[in-house]
Amino acid sequence: MNTGSDRGTNESATGDTTTGTTAQSGAETGAQTAEETQHVSKAPAFIKARKSLHLSWQVGVFIVGLAVIAAGVAMLVLPGPGWVAIFAGLAIWATEFAWAHLVLRWTKRKVTEAAQRALDPKVRRRNIILTTAGLVIAGALIGFYMWKYGLVLPWDLKDQ
């Protein structure tokens, strides 16, 4: 027997007003089709209609995605959001290429798993201890340098 709140959930989740097994099978079918469906190009229909135009579209998407990823790789060593740009380039590629869609989905799953592990109290405690130890060691090295050499740069800047 379904209550009113169950019926409301089934209606919003499946779009039909039936209850019970129909709603459950609709949810199962939706989950199966999400995993089983093949990647479909996000290009407009008039571009997909012509093979040469669609190929040109894919080449353009590849070049734009490659440029964004290259900028992201450069931003790993330069100022800027490098990883964000790399993931954005991958998302651009994922609009057209199934392999990029799979890589992006795998990456999202791994990032989510890492975030969940980082929330573990034991891992957080270990990270705090390691960070504190690193800061203490860095402070000791800087203090030793200042004691030994004073506020002098490690390279010689004398006028010639």
Side-chain angles (χ1 to χ4, degrees), residues 109-128 131:
R109 187 174 63 244
K110 290 298 180 183
V111 167
T112 304
E113 289 172 5
Q116 290 300 321
R117 281 194 309 261
L119 293 176
D120 181 25
K122 291 179 183 177
V123 174
R124 290 181 67 193
R125 190 176 314 115
R126 182 198 66 200
N127 289 345
I128 290 171
T131 301

Side-chain angles (χ1 to χ4, degrees), residues 57-74:
W57 176 270
Q58 286 182 326
V59 168
V61 167
F62 183 80
I63 291 171
V64 169
L66 185 63
V68 172
I69 288 176
V73 169

Side-chain angles (χ1 to χ4, degrees), residues 5-155:
S5 62
D6 289 339
R7 189 174 300 120
T9 304
N10 290 341
E11 288 174 12
S12 63
T14 61
D16 64 2
T17 56
T18 58
T19 59
T21 59
T22 306
Q24 291 174 348
S25 64
E28 291 171 3
T29 305
Q32 291 172 352
T33 55
E35 290 294 323
E36 295 173 0
T37 56
Q38 292 191 356
H39 180 73
V40 178
S41 173
K42 303 288 191 275
F46 73 93
I47 290 177
K48 287 189 225 177
R50 295 183 182 89
K51 186 150 180 84
S52 61
L53 193 56
H54 190 242
L55 182 61
S56 299
W57 176 270
Q58 286 182 326
V59 168
V61 167
F62 183 80
I63 291 171
V64 169
L66 185 63
V68 172
I69 288 176
V73 169
M75 284 189 275
L76 290 175
V77 293
L78 299 172
W83 286 110
V84 173
I86 290 171
F87 293 138
L90 194 58
I92 290 170
W93 276 349
T95 63
E96 285 300 312
F97 305 109
W99 60 268
H101 184 72
L102 293 174
V103 170
L104 187 63
R105 190 169 59 190
W106 178 84
T107 304
K108 285 180 183 178
R109 187 174 63 244
K110 290 298 180 183
V111 167
T112 304
E113 289 172 5
Q116 290 300 321
R117 281 194 309 261
L119 293 176
D120 181 25
K122 291 179 183 177
V123 174
R124 290 181 67 193
R125 190 176 314 115
R126 182 198 66 200
N127 289 345
I128 290 171
I129 291 170
L130 289 174
T131 301
T132 304
L135 289 173
V136 166
I137 291 170
L141 290 173
I142 290 170
F144 174 75
Y145 180 85
M146 296 291 285
W147 172 73
K148 183 82 172 162
Y149 302 105
L151 190 58
V152 178
L153 297 176
W155 51 88

